[in-house]
């Protein structure tokens, strides 16, 4: 700042609060001497500013040794612990994966990362703490800034200034002390008066709004647009035709085609018989074995497809009571005496109001269901002999 | 919910569903809040409520803003079936039995369809000839179905000479009119087709002739067995060739006959050949141990067969031979004569022969010895391209040795129509030139490309009024025609076939024609129909049906009615019954001239061979086949003139140099490929390349060696003596998937054996001591410093039997189709970036003048201690609990470290988006999206990929097991390669099941792992190869 | 406490300039308008940057297939350059930190510069892992961040260790460098006239007041950072060497790699620092701050480390033979006599043979030859990485999958890009920041310390 402005400042000294009084020295020896004197005087709240660290100054000023090392130790150790535990959690607890046949907790592999994280956290942590907590930086509003004093201590001279909060501080005393120790250009530093920051300052609000809009905009773009653009879509959009999808290759747009008329797929030789079951149908025999698996399967399919109308036990007790005509029971002599082929015929082609089920139920499942129906029929017509056979 | 009704609870939260609902509603809601909200209400209890309302309002408005911010993304419509066909279960494949038309062998195929779209072709297990196996070409045929450049409707040539789309109705009218005129004016209607092996088509031709009396039918094949067939007819007076009973053959002598590669039906030959090389059969050992086991013992005690191959070129058969005798091709006939006299106890000619061509004495002697020792149990085969005289001599030799008893009792090949002799073709061209030919119909043939330029066929065509060409894709001939009629693909049409006595097979469509095409038979049928305008897709089916009802049904003598018979025939795809075929083979000695007709010349001998995969060039536009490496040379995308190292040195050329081959006044410039093991006097080049009208993929690939063919060659169509080769100057890059390192250099010599990548032994040593290999190798003690993961439930593993593997590449083709593996093109393969998950490694052992070849299918070994997994930073590749080394494509960032760290180098990286890299966006054309297997992810740029052991099939089996409430059965899972392997060399299954096939193989005494000592614990077991050679006496 | 123990054996600054003079000298490049030389140089480097950048953009557009990488050789120039630059990046922190701990007074003149170079080199290095991936837009996957799928990274992968090592190294070096800069920024802040500069310096100096109460913590922290930086430097290249040593590939799978790589890194690093120092010394005449003696010291270290590297080469061969492992043996014979022999012999002659010239004091102390040798060493070290990566991959276990690697112009372009970036940064640095630490220099000129406290004397 210019000479002129400083004059005006000194003009209204009275309404300003003194921060400190400081003077400049020329040689490292003199400043060291001055620092020792200051301590002898009993000043505690004084500071020495030197363009480079002058040896022995700490001892001259009787400063306590720095404790920053402890900070490093603490942060470093916690960093290490976190890293190692995190890796353990990831690879053993949260998502264990078999990698190269190694055990989930293959700790030797964790060493490098642990080391790196330790160093990173310790180094960065220490610096952050030093700057933010020890120095209270950034602080560009400090009274010493932009003074002749600062101009020199940051270049070629050495400065000592006694701060007003020192219990022994007295303007005149400090002045003579400084001149006594041979300080030149003694200067008084005043606290700058602070202007309150106005929250509802339109500029400030404007800023907030802008920030809000930018963040919102970017987020919106990223989440709704960017991630659905190539290359991000590449693997998502598969160049293949999955079930039930459209395809413009075909004029009708159906991706799923119908088999060509007259062709016969493996295991699907057409079931030619329609209308009333004839001898051929009756002689169809059940290809599936009468085994537990088959019966279980039959039960499952029966309960899925048949039970809504026929009821769980084939008694014709429909769950759709009233809304749909109940089918007759499956335990009538008629049905019990039907050959398997006949039942198969009915399931396949339907009968009266019962529709054809050949689309829903696969052929094997139909036969499995027939087995299950037989089981039902047998169980509902148990005879005493059954008990005996049990024995 | 109606909000007027309960204004009181208006401030209640109503769930998100409401927030997202339509804006009017929301406005209404806000208003309602607004007037419910007293700005300053007196009542204290109300104030609290209003505050809550205020907050609700705030919150909900924020929520609204948030929801409004997020887009709704259209995921595309879901299009279900209107009425689901019974045979389709959405998401599950269905299978159709049909017949392959890729070549004239007409193998039975089983086509896998998904929701009515063909996606994979395999052999039809019920077909007695190919038994569930199908060649690479057959498998790749599916690409032709979806080929974008197919002719999508009938085209007519305009005055300007380019084609315009038309419609069938008009075309039919025009053409029928032309045909009528032609036959009326007595002008010939020439129909030119390939081999006719369809009874109904034959009948159709007859009907066609009935309608248009002047029509004549011609059929040709670029590479055919005419010489062999004629010779056989002369020798034994029988039509068609016999089928050899391989089970009986103990000694097989192949004279330039590549029966395992290109000749006859290799799918069948390989299977039967390998059945005698199965170390898993207990009886392999019986021969020596003389343990008597029950059941028929005739074939069971035979042990390994022994294959001698005498050849000038290096073929798959030579590679699989126990003894390979390198001999210039045109000396074969002399050799046969020498053998004949040797068989007659006169050894001197053979000895002279040995000295003349300085062959390995002991080998030739053992050959003679074996032949004489195993009379009636050996067979001598001669290459189809050899002249008739040689074949007669060979028949004589077989007859002499009593080997005719090996000619199958059950089947014999029965050609329905013999191929047209050269003379008639010549006559046709003459008539064409003289203008007496009214119309030429190319029945899915490409003579302009195929006919030797001697015929001057193209010029002749110009003299013909109407030239009609039926073809799936534009080709050299269509451009010379007035009509280019787009015809349906094999999978879009009907057909029936008969290649062997008593075997009829059916072809049925899996999908309705994709475009406005008709199957070629239907086109002809429609031209003879009385009401062509009433065409339906079923016409030809009904025609076949009618034909079958009269012929096959009756001769089959089925119990059931025809309807059922027909349905079941379609279901099985094949009908077999014994037809009369007399099996007396009496050799007509008068046909046998005492001295060899073909004598070794002084100059070089040129052999024109059939291409391995692109047939006679009709598959040139099929990228899959172009990129399938040649089994021996591993060359892709080209043919080349292969000459021996010695010859190349003499000529001062090396691989990639251009040379000029001149034979009988014809010359061709072609690139040299130096082939170790070639006879020094032989130059050999594949046919079917160098096409100009094939399409974006197939144009100008390789050299058109048809240039070298003559219409009346001195010796044989495919064999020219006294040809000269000169350095032409300039180079042409030939791309091979394997680097050619100097095998003679001591650092590289037998490196595959030194590194124990390939382990080989001698059969007899094995018989003496089954453990010999392990003992030689010595135990490798492997240990992990950390406990390794235990696979308890399931553990997938594979075994590959090198005794059965012939190196045919069918598995590779199958893998490509199954796993959506892109074709990357010549240039990228040249940069070592081919994407095949499975490859067949070929190693040359011994010296380069006569090397031994070893094949080894190499795929991801799914190692227990997979090195690739350790190094992936994002864990994109890791192990599944059932022992699969799996890739999460979506997680992969593409550091390629896994590939570096893979000792087997089986990982493949998408250096580009290979979907748009080939022929600028070939794959991005719409029709090809149908080609892809819906069960397998289509990989994009920057992703690593590799063999998955067909995990989609494993999952399929899992699903079925759960559905059927049974335990997972590893033996039911068949990987694509396993399914395709014609010799069943590949076995796959669950190791934890102790009695499973795979467990047996894994614990076999010949089983070994590649690079065992680096302790990655691979899960692919290789069964060491045993060569059935006579062990040299150890002292 | 004593941090700086400056012995007399070598004056850091020739003569005894007053503190103000030091300010002026050091900040001269900052205050004066850029000279002709500088302009020409920056044009060249930024051109390299642009053209190379073109190659980079094309790579992103087409895919890394435009490079020469292929199936057996999945790593080519990308990783070669990465290791090369990381190596370069080592000397800086090493000089600064280790020499600091070793109380090497002569470090002062070059430390700031070396640190800056470290940062720029690591920047260049950092590019390559980022762009070498097939899907560079997903590089985020390499960091363990919580996500809906609970997918984390694979902590057993050396590449992941790399991610941590390199990023840590970069951050710590940056901090170390910035801490050193704070007092200088303050000095500049207080001497500059331009308003803009003032604002900038004010922001970066954080309001530094040269207070002794601050100096006290400052020096302690500086020492702690130096203490951390030293093992960090070693760890980083050790981990880079793990990228290879942990694999199974013959020629990579070697226990000697960590020390061998670190030595190599120091080797190339010193050579590069030496080069750039000479360049700056000439261009901005700082002859009395960067003295011949400094350079000689560096050359001595270069010859030492170079010999160590040579030893490593020899030892590799010995082990390959001694182990009796046929794959290993083949790989090394193949290196020396196989298709890539030329690369191998370039490496040996540049790294082992030529540096021996430094035994002669004359060469060691004359600018031109030492500059040339410095360049040669860097070429050699680049080829060392090429040999290790490419030859080992191109011929590994299965002869069936052997394949040669040929770089494309895009590979070269991107290499050029990295050099462009590096030198552009250097040039901007010397024009905008004190390339020598003002406060440290001041502290070591004779008579800068209180006389009765051994200012410049041993205690």
């Amino acid at each position: 700042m210019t000479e002129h402005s400083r004059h005006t400042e000194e003009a209204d000294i009275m309404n300003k609060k003194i921060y400190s009084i400081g003077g400049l020295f020329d040689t490292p020896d003199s400043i060291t001497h001055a620092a020792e004197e200051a301590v002898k005087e009993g000043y505690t709240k004084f500071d020495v500013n030197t363009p480079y660290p002058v040896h022995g100054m700490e001892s001259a000023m009787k400063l306590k040794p720095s404790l920053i090392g402890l900070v490093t130790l603490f942060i470093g150790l916690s960093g290490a612990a976190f890293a190692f535990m995190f890796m353990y959690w990831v690879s053993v607890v949260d998502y264990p994966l078999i990698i190269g046949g190694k055990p989930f907790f293959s700790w030797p592999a964790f060493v490098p990362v642990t080391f790196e994280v330790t160093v990173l956290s310790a180094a960065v942590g220490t610096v952050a703490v030093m700057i933010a907590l020890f120095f209270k930086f950034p602080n560009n509003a400090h009274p010493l800034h932009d003074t002749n004093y600062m101009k020199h201590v940051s270049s070629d001279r050495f400065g000592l200034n006694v701060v007003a909060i020192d219990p022994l501080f007295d303007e005149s005393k400090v002045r003579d002390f400084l001149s006594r120790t041979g300080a030149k250009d003694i200067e008084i530093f005043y606290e700058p008066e602070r202007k309150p920051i106005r929250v509802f300052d339109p500029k400030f609000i404007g800023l907030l709004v802008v920030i809000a809009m930018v963040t919102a905009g970017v987020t919106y773009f990223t989440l709704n647009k960017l991630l659905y653009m190539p290359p991000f879509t590449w693997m998502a959009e598969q160049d293949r035709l999955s079930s039930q999808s459209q395809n413009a290759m075909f004029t009708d747009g159906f991706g799923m085609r119908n088999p060509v008329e007259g062709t016969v797929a493996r295991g699907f030789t057409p079931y030619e018989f329609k209308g009333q079951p004839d001898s051929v149908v009756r002689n169809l025999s059940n290809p599936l074995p009468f085994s537990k698996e088959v019966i279980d399967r039959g039960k499952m399919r029966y309960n899925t497809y048949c039970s809504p109308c026929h009821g769980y036990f084939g008694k014709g007790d429909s769950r759709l009571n009233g809304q749909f005509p109940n089918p007759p029971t499956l335990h009538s002599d008629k049905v019990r005496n039907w050959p398997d082929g006949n039942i198969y015929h009915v399931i396949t082609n339907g009968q009266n109001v019962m529709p054809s089920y050949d689309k829903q139920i696969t052929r094997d499942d139909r036969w499995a269901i027939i087995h299950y129906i037989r089981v039902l029929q047998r169980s509902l017509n148990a005879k005493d002999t059954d008990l005996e056979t049990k024995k | 919910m109606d909000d007027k009704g309960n204004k009181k609870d208006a401030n209640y939260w109503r769930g998100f569903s409401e927030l997202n609902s339509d804006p009017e509603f929301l406005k209404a809601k806000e208003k309602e809040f607004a007037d419910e909200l007293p700005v300053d209400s007196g009542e204290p209890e109300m104030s609290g409520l209003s505050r809550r309302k205020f907050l609700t309002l705030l919150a909900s408005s924020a929520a609204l803003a948030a929801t409004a911010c997020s887009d709704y993304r259209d995921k595309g419509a879901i299009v279900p079936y209107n009425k689901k066909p019974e045979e389709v279960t959405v998401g599950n494949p269905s299978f159709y039995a049909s017949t392959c038309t890729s070549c004239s062998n007409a193998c039975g195929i089983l086509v896998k369809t998904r929701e009515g779209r063909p996606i994979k072709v395999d052999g039809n297990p019920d077909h007695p000839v190919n038994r569930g196996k199908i060649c690479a070409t057959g498998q790749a045929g599916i690409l032709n179905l979806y080929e974008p450049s197919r002719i999508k409707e009938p085209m007519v040539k305009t005055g300007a000479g380019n084609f315009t789309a038309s419609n069938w109705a008009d075309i039919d009218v025009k053409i029928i009119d032309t045909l009528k005129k032609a036959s009326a004016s007595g002008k010939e209607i020439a129909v030119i087709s390939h081999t006719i092996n369809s009874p109904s088509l034959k009948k159709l031709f007859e009907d066609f002739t009935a309608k248009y009396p002047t029509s004549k039918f011609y059929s040709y094949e670029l590479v055919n067995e005419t010489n062999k067939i004629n010779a056989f007819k002369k020798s034994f007076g029988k039509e068609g060739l016999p089928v050899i009973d391989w089970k009986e053959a103990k000694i097989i002598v192949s004279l330039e006959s590549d029966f395992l590669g290109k000749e006859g039906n290799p799918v069948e030959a390989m299977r039967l050949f390998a059945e005698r090389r199965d170390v898993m059969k207990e009886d392999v050992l019986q021969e020596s141990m003389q343990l008597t086991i029950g059941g028929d013992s005739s074939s069971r005690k035979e042990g390994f067969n022994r294959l001698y191959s005498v050849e000038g070129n290096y073929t798959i058969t030579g590679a699989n031979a126990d003894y390979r005798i390198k001999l210039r091709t045109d000396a074969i006939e002399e050799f046969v004569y020498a053998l004949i006299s040797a068989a007659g106890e006169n050894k001197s000619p053979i000895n002279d022969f040995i000295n003349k061509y300085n062959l390995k004495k002991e080998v030739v002697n053992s050959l003679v010895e074996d032949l004489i020792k195993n009379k009636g149990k050996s067979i001598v085969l001669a290459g189809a391209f050899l002249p008739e005289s040689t074949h007669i001599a060979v028949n004589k030799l077989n007859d002499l040795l009593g080997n005719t008893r090996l000619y199958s009792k059950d089947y014999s090949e029965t050609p329905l129509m013999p191929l047209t002799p050269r003379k008639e073709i010549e006559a046709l061209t003459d008539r064409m030139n003289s203008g007496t030919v009214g119309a030429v119909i190319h029945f899915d043939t490409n003579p302009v490309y195929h006919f030797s330029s001697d015929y001057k066929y193209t010029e002749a065509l110009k003299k013909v009024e109407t030239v009609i060409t039926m073809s799936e894709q534009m080709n050299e001939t269509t451009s010379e025609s007035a009509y280019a009629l787009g015809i349906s693909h094999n999978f879009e049409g009907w057909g029936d076939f008969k290649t062997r006595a008593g075997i009829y097979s059916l072809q049925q469509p899996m999908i309705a024609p994709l475009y406005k095409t008709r199957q070629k038979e239907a086109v002809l049928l429609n031209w003879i129909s009385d009401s062509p305008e009433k065409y339906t897709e079923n016409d030809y089916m009904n025609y076949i049906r009618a034909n079958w009802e009269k012929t096959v049904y009756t001769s089959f003598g089925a119990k059931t009615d025809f309807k059922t018979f027909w349905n079941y025939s379609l279901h099985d795809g094949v009908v077999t019954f014994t037809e009369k075929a007399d099996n007396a083979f009496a050799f007509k000695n008068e046909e046998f001239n005492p001295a060899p007709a073909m004598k070794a010349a002084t100059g070089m001998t040129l052999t024109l061979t059939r291409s391995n995969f692109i047939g006679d060039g009709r598959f040139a536009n099929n990228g899959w086949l172009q990129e399938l490496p040649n089994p021996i040379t591993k060359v892709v995308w080209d043919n080349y003139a292969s000459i021996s190292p010695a010859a190349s040195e003499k000529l001062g050329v090396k691989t990639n140099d251009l040379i000029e081959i001149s034979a009988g006044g014809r010359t061709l410039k072609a690139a040299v490929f130096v082939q170790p093991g070639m006879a020094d006097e032989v130059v050999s080049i594949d046919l079917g390349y160098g096409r100009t009208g094939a399409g974006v993929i197939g144009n100008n690939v390789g050299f058109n060696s048809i240039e070298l063919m003559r219409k009346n060659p001195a010796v044989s169509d495919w064999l020219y003596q006294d040809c000269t080769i000169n350095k032409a100057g300039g180079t042409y890059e030939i791309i091979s998937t394997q680097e050619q390192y100097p095998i003679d250099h001591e650092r590289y010599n037998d490196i595959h054996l030194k590194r124990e990548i390939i382990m080989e032994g001698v059969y007899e040593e094995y018989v003496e001591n089954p453990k010999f290999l392990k003992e030689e190798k010595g135990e490798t003690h492997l240990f992990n410093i950390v406990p390794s993961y235990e696979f308890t439930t399931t553990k997938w593993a594979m075994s590959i039997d090198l005794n059965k593997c012939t190196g045919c590449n069918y598995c590779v083709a199958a893998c490509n189709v199954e796993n959506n593996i892109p074709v990357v093109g010549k240039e990228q393969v040249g940069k070592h970036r081919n994407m095949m998950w499975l490859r067949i490694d070929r190693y040359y052992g011994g010296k380069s003048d006569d090397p031994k070849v070893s094949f080894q299918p190499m795929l991801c070994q799914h190692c227990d201690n997979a090195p690739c997994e350790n190094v992936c930073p994002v864990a994109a590749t890791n192990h599944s609990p059932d022992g699969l080394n799996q890739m999460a494509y979506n997680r992969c960032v593409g550091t390629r470290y896994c590939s570096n760290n893979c000792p087997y180098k089986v990982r493949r990286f998408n250096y580009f988006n290979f979907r748009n890299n080939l022929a600028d966006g070939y794959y991005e054309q719409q029709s090809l999206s149908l080609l892809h297997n819906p069960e397998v992810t289509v990989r994009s740029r920057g992703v690593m990929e590799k063999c998955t052991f067909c995990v989609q099939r494993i999952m399929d089996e899992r699903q079925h097991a759960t559905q059927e409430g049974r335990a997972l059965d590893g033996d039911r899972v068949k990987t694509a390669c396993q399914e395709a392997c014609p010799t069943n060399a590949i076995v796959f299954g669950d190791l934890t099941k102790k009695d499973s096939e795979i467990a047996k193989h894994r614990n076999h005494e010949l089983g070994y792992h590649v690079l065992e000592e680096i302790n990655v614990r691979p899960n692919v077991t290789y069964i060491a190869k045993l060569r059935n050679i006579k062990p040299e006496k150890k002292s | 406490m004593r941090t700086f123990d400056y012995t007399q054996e070598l004056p850091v600054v020739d003569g005894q300039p007053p503190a103000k003079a030091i300010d002026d000298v050091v900040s001269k490049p900052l205050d004066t308008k850029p000279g002709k030389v500088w302009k020409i140089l920056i044009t060249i480097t930024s051109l390299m940057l642009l053209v190379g950048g073109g190659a980079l953009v094309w790579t992103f557009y087409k895919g890394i297939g435009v490079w020469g990488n292929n199936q057996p050789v999945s790593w080519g120039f990308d990783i070669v350059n990465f290791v090369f630059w990381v190596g370069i990046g080592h000397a800086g922190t090493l000089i600064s930190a280790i020499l600091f701990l070793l109380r090497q007074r002569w470090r002062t003149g070059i430390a700031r510069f070396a640190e800056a170079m470290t940062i720029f080199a690591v920047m260049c290095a950092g590019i390559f892992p980022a762009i070498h991936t097939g899907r560079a837009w997903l590089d985020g996957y390499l960091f363990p961040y919580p996500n809906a799928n609970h997918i984390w990274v694979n902590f057993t992968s050396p590449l992941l260790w790399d991610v941590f090592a390199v990023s840590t190294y970069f951050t710590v070096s940056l901090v170390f460098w910035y801490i050193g800069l704070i007092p200088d920024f303050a000095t500049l802040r207080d001497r500059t006239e331009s308003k803009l500069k003032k604002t900038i310096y004010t922001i970066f100096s954080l309001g530094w007041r040269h207070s002794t109460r601050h100096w006290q913590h400052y020096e302690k922290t500086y020492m702690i950072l130096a203490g951390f930086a030293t093992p960090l430097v070693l760890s980083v290249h050790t981990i880079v060497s793990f990228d290879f040593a942990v694999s199974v590939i013959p020629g990579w799978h070697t226990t000697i790699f960590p020390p061998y790589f670190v030595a190599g890194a120091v080797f190339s690093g010193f050579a590069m620092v030496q080069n750039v120092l000479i360049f700056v010394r000439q261009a901005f005449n700082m002859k009395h701050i960067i003295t011949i003696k400094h350079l000689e010291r560096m050359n001595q270290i270069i010859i030492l480390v170079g010999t160590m590297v040579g030893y490593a080469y020899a030892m590799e061969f010995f082990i390959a033979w001694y182990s009796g492992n046929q794959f290993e043996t083949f790989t090394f014979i193949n290196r020396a006599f196989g298709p890539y022999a030329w690369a191998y012999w370039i490496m040996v002659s540049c790294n082992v043979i030529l540096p021996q010239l430094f035994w002669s004091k004359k060469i060691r102390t004359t600018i031109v030859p030492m500059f040339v040798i410095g360049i040669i060493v860097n070429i050699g070290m680049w080829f060392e990485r090429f040999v290790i990566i490419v030859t080992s991959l191109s011929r590994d276990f299965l002869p069936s999958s052997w394949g040669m690697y040929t770089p494309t112009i895009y590979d070269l372009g991107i290499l050029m890009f990295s050099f462009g970036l590096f030198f552009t940064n250097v040039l901007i640095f010397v024009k905008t920041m004190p390339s020598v630490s003002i406060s440290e220099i001041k502290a070591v000129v004779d008579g800068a310390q209180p006389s009765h406290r051994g200012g410049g004397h041993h205690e």
Side-chain angles (χ1 to χ4, degrees), chain C residues 97-111:
Chain C
I98 295 189
L99 298 186
F100 178 84
L101 294 180
L102 298 176
R103 310 278 193 272
Q104 287 301 308
R105 190 176 173 215
W106 59 276
R107 110 187 228 290
T108 321
I110 56 173

Side-chain angles (χ1 to χ4, degrees), chain C residues 9-11 106 290-298 300:
Chain C
E9 99 286 350
L10 173 129
W106 59 276
I290 305 165
T291 64
I292 281 286
K293 289 230 164 42
H294 291 140
L295 299 170
E296 185 182 0
R297 281 299 174 86
M298 301 197 66
Q300 285 163 342

Side-chain angles (χ1 to χ4, degrees), chain A residues 161-210:
Chain A
N161 71 97
V162 183
V163 187
I165 54 170
D166 188 293
L168 303 179
F169 182 82
D170 171 284
E171 187 172 348
S172 55
K173 278 214 189 82
V174 174
R175 274 178 178 283
D176 349 332
F177 164 73
L178 286 171
S179 39
R180 197 158 13 94
T181 47
K184 306 188 186 59
D185 321 343
I186 296 167
E187 244 184 296
I188 305 180
F189 308 108
Y190 299 97
E191 296 275 7
E193 74 274 18
R194 335 192 154 283
K195 308 179 199 62
I197 306 156
R198 284 174 32 247
V199 180
F200 289 106
D201 174 353
K203 276 201 191 127
F204 175 70
I205 302 287
L207 176 74
L208 286 186
V209 171
V210 169

Side-chain angles (χ1 to χ4, degrees), chain A residues 110 218 257 268 385:
Chain A
F110 298 168
V218 169
R257 314 306 299 165
F268 289 97
T385 52

Side-chain angles (χ1 to χ4, degrees), chain B residues 739 754-755 831-833 841 869 871-873 890 892-897 899-901 905 908 911 941, chain C residues 60-61 65 67 69-71 74-75 78 132 134-135 154 157 243 247-249 326 395-397 400:
Chain B
E739 198 180 88
K754 289 181 198 151
R755 294 185 166 191
K831 284 176 167 255
H832 302 277
R833 289 175 184 169
D841 289 347
E869 294 170 4
V871 297
C872 175
N890 276 324
C892 177
V893 293
T895 66
R896 308 185 298 291
Y897 197 172
S899 167
N900 286 341
N901 206 24
K905 289 283 174 287
R908 298 285 177 252
Y911 277 97
R941 185 180 119 193
Chain C
F60 284 137
Y61 174 70
W67 298 346
N69 304 35
N70 57 28
Q71 224 45 269
S74 299
W75 285 349
D78 43 5
H132 96 288
R135 307 203 286 170
N154 172 15
S157 165
D243 283 348
S247 79
V248 298
I249 300 302
Q326 58 167 328
R395 288 220 185 313
D396 69 341
F397 292 101
S400 62

Side-chain angles (χ1 to χ4, degrees), chain C residues 211-328:
Chain C
S211 149
T212 303
R213 294 176 186 277
H214 290 175
W215 278 125
Q216 183 197 18
H217 302 303
Y218 177 89
E219 291 184 286
K220 185 76 172 286
T221 309
Y222 199 82
M223 197 192 63
I224 290 171
L225 285 187
F228 273 123
T230 311
L232 183 60
V233 173
L234 303 181
S235 83
V236 169
H237 224 61
T238 305
I239 287 177
V240 170
S241 80
F242 284 164
D243 283 348
F244 308 101
V246 166
S247 79
V248 298
I249 300 302
W252 284 14
H253 182 75
T254 332
T255 46
I256 198 177
F257 265 21
Y260 164 22
F261 267 52
V262 173
V266 178
F267 191 40
S268 58
F270 266 72
M272 184 62 100
V273 176
Q274 179 241 46
N275 276 342
V276 180
L277 279 178
I278 292 173
F279 156 71
V280 175
R281 184 172 189 275
Q282 307 308 86
F284 303 96
N285 91 71
M286 295 186 173
K287 295 193 175 56
H288 54 305
I289 293 180
I290 305 165
T291 64
I292 281 286
K293 289 230 164 42
H294 291 140
L295 299 170
E296 185 182 0
R297 281 299 174 86
M298 301 197 66
N299 296 341
Q300 285 163 342
I301 294 181
I302 287 177
I303 191 170
L304 168 74
V305 200
T307 322
M308 282 161 71
V309 171
Y311 168 80
Y313 297 162
M315 187 45 70
E316 272 189 319
F317 255 88
F318 171 73
I319 293 298
W321 164 77
Y322 187 68
S323 66
N325 177 329
Q326 58 167 328
F327 302 107
E328 199 73 10

